[in-house]
Amino acid sequence: MNKRIDFISIALLIFSSFLFGFNNFIISWFVFVPVLFLVNRISLKSAWIYGGLYGIFSSSIYVWWLVTYDFASMLGVWILFFLYCSVLFVLLKIVELYLSKYSFFCQILLLMLYQFVQTLGFAGFNYGVIGYSQYRILSFIQSADVFGVWGVTFILVISSCLIYKLCSERKLSFFSIILVSVQLCLIVSNCIYGAVKINKINVRDNKCEKVTVCAIQNNSDPWINGLDAYWKDLSVLKEYTDKALESQKIDIVLWPETAIVPSINKAWYLRKDVKRTEYVENLLEYIESKDNAFVIGNFNVDLQTGKEYNSAFFFESKKNVIPPEPQVYSKIHLVPFAEYFPYEKAFPHFYKFLLNGQNQLWSPGTEYTVFEYKGLKFSTPICFEDTFGNDCKKFYKNGARAFLNMSNDAWSKSKKCRKQHLQMAVFRSVENHIPTVRSTVDGVTCYITSTGKIETKCKIQTEDYLVCKIPVIKE
């Protein structure tokens, strides 16, 4: 009997891990059901190990592409999710054993806390929050302007807990009928609110003046270094920018994250490397020859402090290009372990290990910068940053009424990674009801409206560009 129980528990562990790993807009409605059945079968003594294994297996399947990026990051995810899920399973088992009368509500609370806690702190990670799976159901996700992604996640978690309750009871009690009715009311009211909100936001945006933005996708390999590769990338960026400018009048040209690798400041002002200085001069002369603004990603070196940043430079032709005096935003929320590790003194050997892994460890920026051009107030969350609702909300509170995101997911070599990132970007527009234009290295470059609709996008892994007219929102 024990062998059979162990076999079933292991089968449930594997099934629940795969279910989470392949989570989509349908699976997310019942993704935690096998987890709750697994907790029901195992003992309190073994709950922590089953939970830890679930954390490792489920995260490995969901973000397997992290291994191709940086093993230290994947290792960090394994450790964190082992800890999170070990605690989750133990608490779920305690609730079942000692608070069975309130288990339904406690399960909802614990599953919500598990999803929320994983997004906190230096190693916060939003990939895997199940609410993002609903990104295409626009009427259902508009409540994110009040509750963020957590309102949608809450409804999905209730669904899992309710399905588990109905299946485990094997009968429809009066209390269960009430719970089903409440859940249906939540879903319907959420969709009604969304439909009303979409109409209101569309009316607002249609009345606004428009600014034309062009986003370039240069389809570059981020791991190829050297001036030959940089010149090739610049050639592609210029080619597709010229194609866009020839097609119509463009106000702002947006290039991807670190589209320009050599530090513009260092090359221009220090002139220690003749070839890099020549490269930067060519870039600046090109920008100066145009009649619009450019927002470009650059490996930025502060000449006074020597600190290195992942930055966005805002150039206005004939104003701050030659000599280069751009407005600058430097990435604040850096990727843990791969871009930033704040505990160098406490863990010097691990810090050295990260550097030996050829990570580019940056200094974090400090200011949530808002740029303005032709009345459009916008901010430039860089790559990983638009996975965090709180960070983008700070840009909004500082006055941003559009996001011009520059990203690089090419390192992942994964369509799944690009799609997961896009899902979160959609929520950033919905939460603040402002548009997003994304310029990525090889996908997904797109335009997202203020209601989260993906209007235009480039095919992934192609050299391309898109042009969109975004509303100048004054409120």
Side-chain angles (χ1 to χ4, degrees):
M1 182 65 180
N2 287 336
K3 289 183 179 180
R4 181 172 178 268
I5 292 174
D6 287 341
F7 176 79
I8 293 175
S9 297
I10 292 170
L12 278 171
L13 171 63
I14 295 171
F15 177 65
S16 58
S17 298
F18 271 90
L19 203 64
F20 185 88
F22 293 101
N23 179 33
N24 59 30
F25 78 100
I26 295 176
I27 293 175
S28 59
W29 288 89
F30 56 87
V31 68
F32 292 122
V33 174
V35 168
L36 296 173
F37 274 109
L38 174 59
V39 170
N40 176 260
R41 296 191 67 88
I42 60 180
S43 66
L44 181 58
K45 182 183 288 188
S46 63
W48 72 273
I49 187 63
Y50 274 98
L53 291 173
Y54 171 76
I56 292 175
F57 294 161
S58 60
S59 62
S60 295
I61 299 168
Y62 193 80
V63 293
W64 61 266
W65 39 263
L66 260 181
V67 175
T68 66
Y69 173 45
D70 179 62
F71 182 75
S73 295
M74 189 75 253
L75 181 61
V77 168
W78 284 337
I79 293 171
L80 289 173
F81 277 80
F82 182 93
L83 295 173
Y84 294 151
C85 293
S86 291
V87 174
L88 172 66
F89 273 48
V90 169
L91 293 177
L92 285 172
K93 192 62 186 181
I94 290 173
V95 163
E96 183 184 86
L97 292 174
Y98 303 109
L99 297 170
S100 58
K101 186 177 180 180
Y102 307 102
S103 61
F104 174 76
F105 301 103
C106 290
Q107 288 164 352
I108 294 172
L109 176 63
L110 290 172
L111 289 170
M112 284 297 296
L113 282 174
Y114 156 64
Q115 296 263 285
F116 180 69
V117 168
Q118 76 177 60
T119 69
L120 301 178
F122 149 70
F125 199 64
N126 279 273
Y127 289 84
V129 174
I130 62 174
Y132 289 120
S133 64
Q134 306 300 303
Y135 76 110
R136 287 190 181 276
I137 318 300
L138 296 186
S139 62
F140 186 60
I141 67 173
Q142 297 304 309
S143 59
D145 66 349
V146 179
F147 304 108
V149 71
W150 303 110
V152 176
T153 302
F154 180 65
I155 293 175
L156 299 177
V157 167
I158 290 176
S159 179
S160 277
C161 295
L162 188 54
I163 292 171
Y164 170 73
K165 179 177 176 60
L166 295 174
C167 292
S168 58
E169 287 181 349
R170 298 181 182 179
K171 62 179 180 179
L172 196 62
S173 65
F174 179 70
F175 181 58
S176 295
I177 292 174
I178 293 176
L179 292 176
V180 171
S181 300
V182 170
Q183 173 73 336
L184 290 174
C185 286
L186 280 175
I187 295 170
V188 172
S189 60
N190 201 53
C191 290
I192 291 174
Y193 173 84
V196 172
K197 199 72 179 184
I198 288 172
N199 182 67
K200 181 180 178 181
I201 297 300
N202 284 339
V203 169
R204 180 204 69 182
D205 286 1
N206 288 335
K207 292 180 179 179
C208 292
E209 296 179 1
K210 303 295 191 297
V211 166
T212 305
V213 178
C214 168
I216 306 298
Q217 178 174 293
N218 59 319
N219 194 32
S220 170
D221 185 340
W223 298 121
I224 296 179
N225 295 313
L227 272 175
D228 288 342
Y230 302 155
W231 276 108
K232 180 181 178 182
D233 289 344
L234 179 58
S235 175
V236 174
L237 290 164
K238 290 162 64 175
E239 176 188 352
Y240 282 86
T241 299
D242 287 339
K243 286 182 178 180
L245 293 175
E246 290 168 4
S247 67
Q248 59 185 288
K249 180 175 175 54
I250 306 293
D251 296 307
I252 301 173
V253 175
L254 177 64
W255 288 359
E257 179 185 20
T258 53
I260 303 301
V261 177
S263 170
I264 293 173
N265 288 341
K266 187 176 179 180
W268 178 272
Y269 289 104
L270 298 186
R271 297 182 176 269
K272 291 183 177 180
D273 186 322
V274 175
K275 292 184 177 180
R276 291 191 175 224
T277 300
E278 180 184 355
Y279 172 87
V280 168
E281 286 177 342
N282 183 281
L283 164 71
L284 296 178
E285 289 169 1
Y286 174 77
I287 295 175
E288 185 75 345
S289 69
K290 306 304 177 185
D291 295 319
N292 43 270
F294 278 74
V295 180
I296 65 177
N298 183 231
F299 181 143
N300 179 27
V301 178
D302 187 312
L303 299 183
Q304 293 182 337
T305 65
K307 291 183 177 180
E308 299 175 342
Y309 300 94
N310 185 350
S311 299
F313 280 13
F314 176 52
F315 288 106
E316 291 186 64
S317 179
K318 315 299 189 295
K319 287 187 177 182
N320 63 351
V321 182
I322 299 177
E325 297 175 349
Q327 297 179 54
V328 181
Y329 166 70
S330 294
K331 189 175 182 180
I332 296 173
H333 202 139
L334 298 162
V335 179
F337 306 109
E339 290 184 331
Y340 180 59
F341 185 71
Y343 308 113
E344 175 185 358
K345 293 182 180 179
F347 303 99
H349 295 296
F350 186 66
Y351 185 79
K352 186 177 180 180
F353 165 74
L354 293 178
L355 289 177
N356 290 339
Q358 297 182 336
N359 291 294
Q360 175 57 58
L361 298 182
W362 314 88
S363 296
T366 57
E367 184 179 351
Y368 289 89
T369 306
V370 177
F371 304 111
E372 184 171 359
Y373 188 72
K374 292 192 173 181
L376 179 71
K377 294 182 179 181
F378 65 92
S379 289
T380 56
I382 299 175
C383 202
F384 187 62
E385 290 186 306
D386 74 349
T387 69
F388 290 88
N390 288 340
D391 288 341
C392 289
K393 182 62 71 174
K394 291 175 183 176
F395 287 120
Y396 178 83
K397 289 181 177 179
N398 277 2
R401 292 300 178 264
F403 295 135
L404 302 191
N405 168 260
M406 45 181 64
S407 288
N408 174 12
D409 291 328
W411 48 263
S412 70
K413 298 178 174 60
S414 165
K415 293 181 180 179
K416 184 176 182 180
C417 171
R418 298 180 184 92
K419 181 178 179 180
Q420 291 167 347
H421 196 169
L422 174 62
Q423 291 173 352
M424 290 179 272
V426 166
F427 270 79
R428 303 297 84 88
S429 274
V430 174
E431 287 165 355
N432 302 286
H433 285 310
I434 61 176
T436 296
V437 182
R438 304 183 77 227
S439 175
T440 71
V441 170
D442 74 343
V444 178
T445 298
C446 64
Y447 169 48
I448 305 169
T449 70
S450 301
T451 60
K453 182 180 179 182
I454 304 169
E455 280 211 339
T456 55
K457 63 181 180 180
C458 299
K459 292 183 179 180
I460 67 170
Q461 296 179 308
T462 60
E463 296 174 357
D464 204 353
Y465 71 92
L466 67 81
V467 176
C468 54
K469 295 183 181 296
I470 64 175
V472 179
I473 300 167
K474 299 294 186 180
E475 63 183 43

